[in-house]
Amino acid sequence: MCGIVGAVSVSSSQRNVAPVLIEGLKKLEYRGYDSAGLAISTPAGIQRVRAVGRVAELERQCADLLASTGIAHTRWATHGGVTAANAHPHLSEREGLGICVVHNGIIENHEALRTSLQSQGYVFESETDTEVIAHLVHQCRRSTKSLLEAVQAARSRLEGAYAIAVISSADHGLIVGARQGAPLLLGLGEDPRQAENFLASDTSALLQVTRRIVYLEDGDVAELQSQAILIHDAHNQPVTRKAITSTLSADAVALGPYAHYMQKEIFEQPGAIAATLEEVMGAHALSTTLFGAEAQTSFQHTRQILILACGTSFHAGMVAKYWLESVARIPVNVEIASEYRYRDAVMLPSTLVVTISQSGETADTLAALQYAIREGAMESLAICNVPESALTRACGLQFLTRAGPEIGVASTKAFTTQLAALFLLTLVLAKAQGHLSQSQEQEALTALRHLPAAMARILTAEPEFKSWAQRFVGKHHALFLGRGIHYPIAMEGALKLKEISYIHAEAYAAGELKHGPLALVDADMPVVAVAPNDQLVEKLKSNLQEVRARGGELYIIADEGSGLSAENGVHVIRLGDHAGLLSPILHVVPLQLLAYHVALARGNDVDKPRNLAKSVTVE
């Protein structure tokens, strides 16, 4: 959701930053956006270019730009519609001083600030909350000695979550960035022949120029010049933040031979699962240290688990509830993070709060975690794909999934690696509390080692799901069914179809058909059923007969030995032998392939579905 890139070099002849900014925005396109813009600072003043639509249009307009200092942005509309006037950067220009700002996040008190600034003669040209920041920094810069002090003063009046980058016509060769609740990082120039530094909201935007990264903490304000950076903390005191070398490579975010990032990421899942499970692939036993040095004591005393997550990660949490309660024998509550923080929750003693997020920057999940801590939660665990994210820093325990960068907005490999991590958590908790025998532990480790190969075999069935997709192209609604631990997988399948094909899809526990949704079933409503060969398969068969009796057409993803056969109106694809407790991780892959090919057949932008963003950093 939205993207920020900034760059400052010693001179435009040594490094013209305009192409760096454009290339950085291209790397951030996956986050979801509807407009883009760029501003450069020159001795003559600030020059700004904005465009509705793709970054390619902005690039066309910026072909002749030459600059040593600049900021750029991709916007996902919140306050105000998709117009050039609402696109970033926003400019406040008055009395010979120009201040230009790009911003991710939400300024919650923007209306009060707007009224105050208007009373002082500031004229607003957009509907955004961001323009408030530009005018506020402008007002502060008129009475301060530096742009840094102006941003610090303005920040004290802002309420909400934000990451901002600011340039000024009075401070050429300087960018000031600030972070509060939204990601912002610095990139340190690596080429000794060039004096330059960078900032961005995502590491991938800077891989073209550097892999030396400094992650800012909440409250930090950073001053970037070509030859130096200076960071002040929330108390305006100078502070040093550690630089790390990102292990992310430019090739990791390249499309390669695939048609779309979503297809690439679906096929990367066996490798992502193997990477996530690397520490146990050759192990003879499980250790609590997988989740942190303090995990042993925490897990031994855990009496209840609270899982907080949103979207796809919420579905992963629902699957984990079945695992944790049946294997570890610990009661689990799974809460939608955006709802949990707004009700009067009861926090029981010895509760482990588990947060799940691909980006580690999901605003609702972070806020829900903070609420849980205020309510008395003493132990917290982050399951996340991004090291140094806000969520991993906020939790006492961490487990990093190793999915690598996920560019497609519709999550695929992040979901399956989250499930792998949650299954490991189940086993480790069960062992810590004496509910996992040595033979069960060895059996589980063997199954985990086999998981990547089993997933790779399922991917060979892609042509069959591509064939199914043609039958969905003209449909307007679809129903997904599952029972037990596969009900959340049905929910995830319905979400995938909605996200990228724009077909309305709903998921139900199959036993609930007769309690309402059966009224919707007819020949125009495809019904997709997840049918593993488990203890509920006979119950599921009865539910599927209810669908056939009403003329519904069935699409069944089954295991060998399930006793389900194709016939008129019943389409069956078999995955192989039943994978036991790990079955949900395998059964979701066909649903991803189905959604991908349906969206492709309908001519949709698979990687950038309308109205959606990858990292949801606003409430």
Side-chain angles (χ1 to χ4, degrees):
M1 175 177 288
C2 301
I4 290 174
V5 189
V8 55
S9 68
V10 69
S11 69
S12 58
S13 59
Q14 188 179 74
R15 168 83 82 176
N16 178 16
V17 302
V20 174
L21 298 175
I22 291 293
E23 185 61 26
L25 292 185
K26 288 180 179 179
K27 292 296 186 286
L28 296 179
E29 287 188 284
Y30 76 93
R31 294 173 69 91
Y33 72 105
D34 43 57
S35 58
L38 177 152
I40 59 173
S41 172
T42 71
I46 292 175
Q47 184 177 349
R48 180 176 55 153
V49 183
R50 298 181 291 178
V52 170
R54 295 304 183 203
V55 171
E57 173 59 25
L58 179 69
E59 183 178 25
R60 186 186 65 79
Q61 297 183 38
C62 295
D64 298 325
L65 284 185
L66 190 66
S68 62
T69 306
I71 54 177
H73 189 267
T74 51
R75 176 181 186 250
W76 188 77
T78 54
H79 295 74
V82 182
T83 65
N86 287 333
H88 298 213
H90 287 282
L91 178 65
S92 179
E93 208 162 25
R94 183 179 175 185
E95 300 174 5
L97 173 65
I99 297 290
C100 207
V101 174
V102 292
H103 162 229
N104 289 352
I106 296 289
I107 303 303
E108 295 177 356
N109 61 332
H110 70 97
E111 292 180 349
L113 290 172
R114 179 185 290 255
T115 300
S116 173
L117 289 162
Q118 284 174 328
S119 71
Q120 297 172 60
Y122 284 94
V123 177
F124 284 77
E125 298 178 350
S126 76
E127 304 166 83
T128 69
D129 56 337
T130 302
E131 192 177 359
V132 164
I133 305 173
H135 291 315
L136 186 59
V137 174
H138 186 283
Q139 180 195 59
C140 294
R141 183 65 183 91
R142 291 159 62 192
S143 58
T144 56
K145 297 178 181 179
S146 68
L147 183 59
L148 175 68
E149 291 180 10
V151 172
Q152 288 172 327
R155 183 194 62 178
S156 68
R157 296 179 60 187
L158 299 176
E159 297 175 8
Y162 55 83
I164 61 174
V166 187
I167 57 175
S168 164
S169 63
D171 304 271
H172 180 60
L174 176 68
I175 302 174
V176 174
R179 172 193 172 140
Q180 183 64 53
L184 192 67
L185 52 90
L186 311 181
L188 308 182
E190 291 183 314
D191 190 338
R193 298 167 298 176
Q194 301 188 94
E196 57 189 8
N197 285 300
F198 311 91
L199 88 169
S201 53
D202 189 308
T203 307
S204 61
L206 301 183
L207 291 177
Q208 53 170 319
V209 286
T210 184
R211 290 203 289 169
R212 293 181 63 215
I213 303 299
V214 175
Y215 290 93
L216 297 181
E217 301 283 347
D218 268 357
D220 283 356
V221 178
E223 189 177 43
L224 279 78
Q225 298 180 12
S226 62
Q227 300 185 27
I229 64 168
L230 182 64
I231 303 173
H232 288 75
D233 64 15
H235 305 291
N236 296 337
Q237 297 300 308
V239 65
T240 300
R241 302 294 184 208
K242 182 176 68 173
I244 68 167
T245 300
S246 173
T247 58
L248 189 63
S249 69
D251 289 342
V253 294
L255 187 57
Y258 296 95
H260 301 89
Y261 280 106
M262 184 176 180
Q263 184 187 36
K264 175 177 183 274
E265 288 152 12
I266 289 172
F267 276 82
E268 285 177 337
Q269 287 177 113
I273 292 284
T276 298
L277 299 174
E278 182 179 9
E279 292 187 54
V280 301
M281 283 299 192
H284 298 293
L286 294 163
S287 170
T288 54
T289 57
L290 289 167
F291 296 89
E294 306 299 322
Q296 177 69 24
T297 301
S298 173
F299 288 177
Q300 285 179 334
H301 294 94
T302 296
R303 294 295 175 264
Q304 177 172 287
I305 294 173
L306 169 64
I307 297 177
L308 302 173
C310 299
T312 285
S313 297
F314 173 72
H315 296 156
M318 290 183 67
V319 173
K321 176 181 173 70
Y322 286 89
W323 283 334
L324 287 161
E325 292 190 341
S326 66
V327 179
R329 309 305 299 163
I330 301 173
V332 179
N333 288 328
V334 187
E335 297 274 359
I336 298 172
S338 59
E339 291 294 319
Y340 174 75
R341 59 188 287 210
Y342 292 116
R343 66 180 184 80
D344 293 327
V346 177
M347 183 64 63
L348 297 179
S350 302
T351 296
L352 173 65
V353 178
V354 178
T355 58
I356 313 171
S357 170
Q358 188 281 138
S359 67
E361 305 289 349
T362 307
D364 286 318
T365 305
L366 286 164
L369 171 63
Q370 291 163 4
Y371 174 71
I373 291 171
R374 289 197 301 270
E375 291 300 302
M378 300 299 292
E379 304 286 352
S380 58
L381 164 67
I383 292 176
C384 181
N385 191 40
V386 180
E388 301 296 328
S389 67
L391 194 65
T392 58
R393 292 197 302 271
C395 290
L397 305 174
Q398 303 86 23
F399 185 94
L400 288 176
T401 58
R402 297 180 183 177
E406 189 178 63
I407 307 301
V409 168
S411 181
T412 52
K413 62 178 181 174
F415 177 67
T416 50
T417 53
Q418 285 171 356
L419 289 178
L422 288 162
F423 189 75
L424 272 184
L425 175 64
T426 299
L427 297 176
V428 171
L429 274 164
K431 184 176 180 179
Q433 301 210 357
H435 296 302
L436 189 72
S437 68
Q438 187 174 3
S439 62
Q440 289 172 323
E441 180 180 7
Q442 294 308 309
E443 183 181 343
L445 285 170
T446 299
L448 284 171
R449 294 184 189 111
H450 179 65
L451 188 59
M455 187 172 285
R457 282 200 299 274
I458 289 172
L459 289 168
T460 64
E462 183 185 23
E464 297 180 72
F465 294 103
K466 184 177 180 180
S467 175
W468 274 14
Q470 298 303 317
R471 298 174 173 271
F472 284 71
V473 171
K475 304 299 184 182
H476 300 288
H477 309 278
L479 187 63
F480 286 70
L481 301 177
R483 294 208 70 146
I485 198 170
H486 293 86
Y487 167 47
I489 296 303
M491 296 176 70
E492 176 63 11
L495 177 61
K496 285 292 150 291
L497 193 69
K498 279 184 279 197
E499 284 179 312
I500 61 172
S501 77
Y502 314 146
I503 294 173
H504 170 246
E506 294 297 333
Y508 277 88
E512 288 294 293
L513 265 176
K514 55 188 172 293
H515 297 296
L518 198 58
L520 299 172
V521 172
D522 60 21
D524 291 325
M525 168 86 81
V527 178
V528 181
V530 182
N533 189 24
D534 60 11
Q535 71 274 17
L536 292 174
V537 69
E538 296 302 324
K539 297 286 186 183
L540 179 64
K541 288 178 184 177
S542 298
N543 303 138
L544 299 185
Q545 286 300 320
E546 295 169 358
V547 172
R548 288 298 298 134
R550 275 76 180 177
E553 190 152 359
L554 285 167
Y555 297 82
I556 304 172
I557 300 165
D559 290 337
E560 293 292 346
S562 62
L564 291 159
S565 301
E567 57 183 81
N568 184 37
V570 179
H571 312 274
V572 180
I573 295 176
R574 292 181 179 83
L575 304 185
D577 293 333
H578 181 49
L581 287 171
L582 294 176
S583 176
I585 304 178
L586 298 178
H587 272 270
V588 76
V589 176
L591 302 181
Q592 297 168 349
L593 288 168
L594 178 63
Y596 169 73
H597 283 291
V598 172
L600 198 60
R602 287 167 67 95
N604 295 349
D605 189 338
V606 174
D607 291 330
K608 305 182 188 73
R610 67 189 183 199
N611 305 333
L612 299 181
K614 183 64 180 175
S615 179
V616 185
T617 54
V618 299
E619 183 181 346

